[in-house]
Amino acid sequence: KLIGARYYLKGYEAYYGPLNTSLDYRSPRDMDGHGTHTSSTVAGRKVPDASALGGFARGTASGGAELAHLAIYKVCWAIPGQGKEMGNTCFDEDMLAAMDDAIGDGVHVLSISIGTREPRFYTKEGIAIGALHAVKKGIVVACSAGNLGPAPSTLSNPAPWIITVGASSVDRKFVAPVLLGNAIEIEGQTVTPYKLKKKMYPLVYAAQVTAPDVPQTDIAGQCLPGSLSPEKARGKIVLCLRGNGTRVGKGEEVKRAGGAGFILGDTRPAGIDLDIDAHFLPATSVNSSNANQILNYINSTAKPVAYIFQARTVMHAKPAPVMAIFSSRGPNVITPDILKPDITAPGVNILAAWSEASSPTKLADDHRVVQYNIDSGTSMSCPHVGAAAALLKAIHPTWSSAAIRSALITSGTLCATSFCF
């Protein structure tokens, strides 16, 4: 299956200095999980009875092109002084060196789950330059569109010769509703395996249980590290809002303060998809509309209470697929007359293999070990298209990269019937 593996960090070390080997291996090995997840999505073999922590999404897992071989080119590394849950960094010179080697190695498809923070002209952007040389050698290049949506013109990898991949949902949910004291049940989702005892718990908004030295600004309700008072939060379900900090970090803060449970309220425009995580305590995520409904209940009741049901996997959820809120949008700000992204693929709550050198949340204090994990992003959707390109390349070895790109794009259909999946 794995026929080659290289790593590239000269650019990284020229900027940051020597790699901290407690954060990452000085080798192609994966201490993060992202690379294992994306590579198994594109070409992992069938594995029966695979599931995430807690048994979620149990079934037979398979990569999109399960008979394809994998060559790994590791170019992204941990950022010094920053938690791994905040993401990695990848330098142009390292990516270009990797793509140059991949071209020389004779790969057929490049699946690149890397995005940029801001668009750069093609001649100034490492992936665009490397991809152009790859395409000239007949190599198909699929890249992530980025996770900065739903704002317009947030696109990564807009070069015309790249297959730019957005992310959309699948027809599977991990449902964990919230029951309020007024008997209203709020839809929530999570892959947290822990459950509460069968009783109602006091419900508070994070800003109501902050430590005395925390300013009562708009970030008081975001459960940032060290912000909650254990005396006020202990034994309660805490509603935290998204904004600053990480989703899993907010759950970690509620657990530190002794909270019994945790509701993560989205602040983005209400949509179908929700980012879900394996938190450290019973938890669920709700969209912005439902978060506001919970907050209104808290503010209108003298003693608000709630209960979080344990999550379960639900199949054939509708509507599906739906574009993910986070998926970066066009138009293409570099070349507006070229439509981007080119295509979308499953990128919401995707189960795939995970590095046992990491943890489900990547937090330093998370010592849980899993072989499979659920993750979301255009990083997850890109290898689906890479796999489809590999299958087409196997069937039509003389087709150019442009022909394969065209075939994928023009054969895509809108899905609005009972046959959607």
Side-chain angles (χ1 to χ4, degrees):
K1 171 57 65 181
L2 186 61
I3 59 172
R6 303 173 184 260
Y7 68 99
Y8 306 81
L9 76 169
K10 288 183 177 179
Y12 172 91
E13 290 193 325
Y15 185 84
Y16 283 116
L19 175 71
N20 181 348
T21 52
S22 67
L23 296 177
D24 217 331
Y25 298 117
R26 183 181 288 275
S27 82
R29 290 184 65 193
D30 181 14
M31 197 186 278
D32 180 81
H34 182 275
T36 302
H37 197 283
T38 54
S39 58
S40 65
T41 298
V42 74
R45 288 191 181 276
K46 279 192 176 73
V47 179
D49 202 35
S51 68
L53 181 71
F56 294 106
R58 186 177 299 279
T60 298
S62 172
E66 62 169 309
L67 298 182
H69 294 296
L70 281 169
I72 305 298
Y73 301 85
K74 179 180 174 182
V75 298
C76 298
W77 305 89
I79 303 172
Q82 184 171 296
K84 294 178 73 173
E85 73 279 4
M86 299 296 290
N88 295 322
T89 186
C90 326
F91 282 75
D92 273 350
E93 49 267 52
D94 294 331
M95 291 189 288
L96 273 170
M99 295 173 80
D100 189 46
D101 280 345
I103 294 168
D105 291 342
V107 304
H108 298 101
V109 177
L110 279 169
S111 179
I112 304 176
S113 291
I114 299 173
T116 55
R117 284 290 176 186
E118 56 186 26
R120 289 181 291 170
F121 194 72
Y122 311 134
T123 57
K124 303 289 186 182
E125 213 282 304
I127 292 178
I129 295 169
L132 180 60
H133 288 278
V135 167
K136 289 168 69 175
K137 294 292 186 179
I139 300 168
V140 182
V141 182
C143 295
S144 298
N147 304 325
L148 300 178
S153 301
T154 49
L155 193 70
S156 291
N157 301 311
W161 46 89
I162 290 173
I163 304 176
T164 310
V165 187
S168 48
S169 65
V170 297
D171 66 340
R172 179 181 61 199
K173 289 185 176 181
F174 305 97
V175 177
V178 178
L179 178 64
L180 302 180
N182 58 7
I184 293 177
E185 191 171 294
I186 303 293
E187 179 178 324
Q189 294 187 53
T190 191
V191 286
T192 301
Y194 314 114
K195 63 180 179 179
L196 293 168
K197 293 181 180 179
K198 292 277 187 174
K199 66 174 186 176
M200 301 298 280
Y201 290 79
L203 174 64
V204 294
Y205 174 44
Q208 298 172 331
V209 291
T210 54
D213 59 341
V214 175
Q216 289 302 303
T217 63
D218 58 347
I219 65 170
Q222 296 184 19
C223 297
L224 300 180
S227 65
L228 299 182
S229 165
E231 291 75 20
K232 298 176 184 177
R234 185 173 291 112
K236 299 179 173 67
I237 293 175
V238 182
L239 170 65
C240 306
L241 298 183
R242 289 188 61 168
N244 296 308
T246 64
R247 303 186 306 271
V248 290
K250 296 173 189 292
E252 185 179 38
E253 173 61 12
V254 174
K255 183 174 176 63
R256 181 201 65 80
F262 161 55
I263 301 171
L264 178 62
D266 210 335
T267 53
R268 303 170 300 175
I272 300 297
D273 61 293
L274 284 168
D275 297 316
I276 58 174
D277 305 281
H279 292 287
F280 295 98
L281 73 172
T284 193
S285 297
V286 299
N287 66 25
S288 57
S289 175
N290 287 333
N292 287 332
Q293 188 174 355
I294 295 171
L295 187 56
N296 289 338
Y297 165 69
I298 292 172
N299 292 332
S300 64
T301 309
K303 293 184 178 181
V305 292
Y307 181 78
I308 302 172
F309 290 94
Q310 188 175 21
R312 58 190 177 89
T313 304
V314 174
M315 300 299 295
H316 311 300
K318 299 298 179 187
V322 174
M323 285 303 300
I325 293 175
F326 60 77
S327 187
S328 292
R329 267 57 168 181
N332 179 350
V333 297
I334 306 298
T335 316
D337 53 339
I338 296 176
L339 296 177
K340 289 283 182 173
D342 295 295
I343 196 168
T344 186
V348 178
N349 302 331
I350 304 301
L351 177 76
W354 199 252
S355 171
E356 294 182 61
S358 184
S359 69
T361 65
K362 303 186 189 180
L363 289 168
D365 295 331
D366 188 356
H367 303 296
R368 298 171 296 180
V369 175
V370 296
Q371 292 183 320
Y372 301 91
N373 200 21
I374 290 171
D375 206 353
S376 296
T378 54
S379 283
M380 284 67 245
S381 59
C382 177
H384 283 81
V385 173
L391 294 174
L392 275 177
K393 193 80 172 175
I395 299 168
H396 302 286
T398 61
W399 280 15
S400 68
S401 173
I404 290 176
R405 175 176 171 273
S406 176
L408 289 171
I409 294 169
T410 57
S411 61
T413 59
L414 292 174
C415 194
T417 72
S418 59
F419 297 102
C420 295
F421 63 91

